[in-house]
Amino acid sequence: MTPQSLEVNARNYRWMSRPVVVVCVDGCEPAYLDAAVTAGVAPYLGRIMKTGANLLADCVVPSFTNPNNLSIVTGVPPAVHGICGNYFFDREIGEEVMMNDPKYLRAGTVLAAFADAGAKVAVVTAKDKLRKLLGHRMKGICFSSEKADQVTLAENGIDDVLGLVRMEVPSVYSAELSEFVFAAGVKLMETRRPDLMYLSTTDYVQHKAAPGSPAANAFYGMMDRYLAQLDELGATIVLTADHGMNDKHDTDGKPNVIYLQDVLDGWYGAGKARVILPITDPYVVHHGALGSFATVYAPDEASAGQWIDRIGQVPGMEAVLSRAEAARRFELPPDRIGDIVVVSERSTVIGTSASRHDLSALEVPLRSHGGVSEQRVPLICNRPVVGVSSSRRLRNFDALDLALNHAQ
């Protein structure tokens, strides 16, 4: 018998009465949607922003892809689910590692819980780095655009995705990687009609193109057409983002970078500190591994305490916090964020050493994310919502709550 509701990570979710689609648009600064609607290229979004729910929410800081996608599908912050960056320093093994292995996940997903209870669940993500995390212990369909030609029934719950979508595998550095996600979502809804579907894109366009630019408007116009099709198929849609995006360059187009490892080496000697950039992943062409959030591992607690005020005086810094302060303020797991957490201001990014960042592939002035300045994101539903207090601080990880508990 189908349950009326499920409790997942101490939150209750009602069983869906119609198909539910949650969309995470990577890097979607709210201004992108406003500009696309104003330009007339996103008529569907313009309509539902008036007739449905057009809200704003805060994402998780660090405002990076993995922590926020995992927060959305678990319904809780990184302090609970454990994923607080793309990359961290594992003190137990003494190595810097990617945090894209499900072994680092400390909470189950809402998707897996509904699948276990008998719902048909599907996940489509742009980059394969997220697939195993999003699909952890989930019975159903789960694949990425990036590896769509390698799917198997055993591994992904589906085969011949290219035949279904009728698109070639796109380049990982393209708008088409995200379009494949939307096209696949529509085809799955037409042919498999999942009860619950999660679609997650890539921010390739947002790293290169500002709100209202031709490339950005083309992207959101494309997205608008697919969302309209999902609506026509009867789905409740909630759209949010993993983070916003801002210019991180000066008036000449040169990146505003604090090379923090170089700074600390100059102050305290080479190798005394270890700076970790949680934005780091295999896809650095469009951001050069430069974001507005970093963690610092000091030799000991005494050093960390003494360094905080001095780091805070570096031009371009917005906040420099101890481990305990950062874990409390940003709801992060304290054992995975180093001794000091550093956040730069809106137009500045943080690097390690200048010699370790290859910026030659940046074709346009740097746009990136990671800080508090990229925390505001859209939270939009294609149906009116009820029972949401005007005083409530909405988060992007309230998307499933909005879709299942409040959408009409």
Side-chain angles (χ1 to χ4, degrees), residues 116-264:
D116 284 343
K120 291 190 291 182
V121 180
V123 173
V124 187
T125 182
K127 295 177 181 176
D128 206 61
K129 71 174 184 178
L130 262 178
R131 178 182 59 84
K132 288 186 179 180
L133 285 168
L134 295 175
H136 184 48
R137 296 182 178 173
M138 190 199 89
K139 303 169 187 171
I141 294 169
C142 185
F143 63 89
S144 70
S145 303
E146 182 185 3
K147 300 289 180 67
D149 58 339
Q150 300 175 31
V151 298
T152 66
L153 200 59
E155 174 74 13
N156 307 96
I158 191 171
D159 56 14
D160 193 21
V161 165
L162 298 185
L164 175 70
V165 180
R166 300 191 182 281
M167 284 179 65
E168 296 296 319
V169 177
S171 163
V172 75
Y173 296 114
S174 71
E176 288 74 26
L177 196 74
S178 292
E179 181 174 0
F180 194 103
V181 172
F182 291 117
V186 169
K187 289 296 185 182
L188 288 171
M189 189 59 68
E190 289 175 341
T191 60
R192 310 294 177 97
R193 201 160 180 81
D195 301 304
L196 180 58
M197 183 159 62
Y198 184 70
L199 306 178
S200 179
T201 70
T202 176
D203 57 3
Y204 173 78
V205 168
Q206 290 80 0
H207 271 287
K208 295 171 73 69
S213 64
N217 281 348
F219 178 89
Y220 286 96
M222 171 274 293
M223 185 178 84
D224 191 80
R225 294 188 289 275
Y226 286 109
L227 292 176
Q229 291 179 62
L230 288 169
D231 188 310
E232 290 170 5
L233 291 166
T236 292
I237 303 168
V238 170
L239 180 149
T240 191
D242 53 352
H243 55 77
M245 189 76 69
N246 278 308
D247 290 339
K248 306 288 184 179
H249 57 82
D250 62 20
T251 54
D252 294 327
K254 296 179 181 178
N256 289 323
V257 188
I258 301 167
Y259 289 109
L260 189 56
Q261 187 70 60
D262 288 343
V263 171
L264 295 174

Side-chain angles (χ1 to χ4, degrees), residues 16-38:
M16 61 289 296
S17 57
R18 61 174 68 88
V20 165
V21 181
V22 172
V23 182
C24 177
V25 185
D26 198 343
C28 187
E29 175 73 19
Y32 281 109
L33 301 180
D34 295 337
V37 170
T38 299

Side-chain angles (χ1 to χ4, degrees), residues 2-7 11-16 114 117 405:
T2 300
Q4 291 186 326
S5 66
L6 292 179
E7 181 178 320
R11 300 186 74 169
N12 285 299
Y13 299 94
R14 290 201 303 237
W15 198 266
M16 61 289 296
F114 271 89
N405 297 333

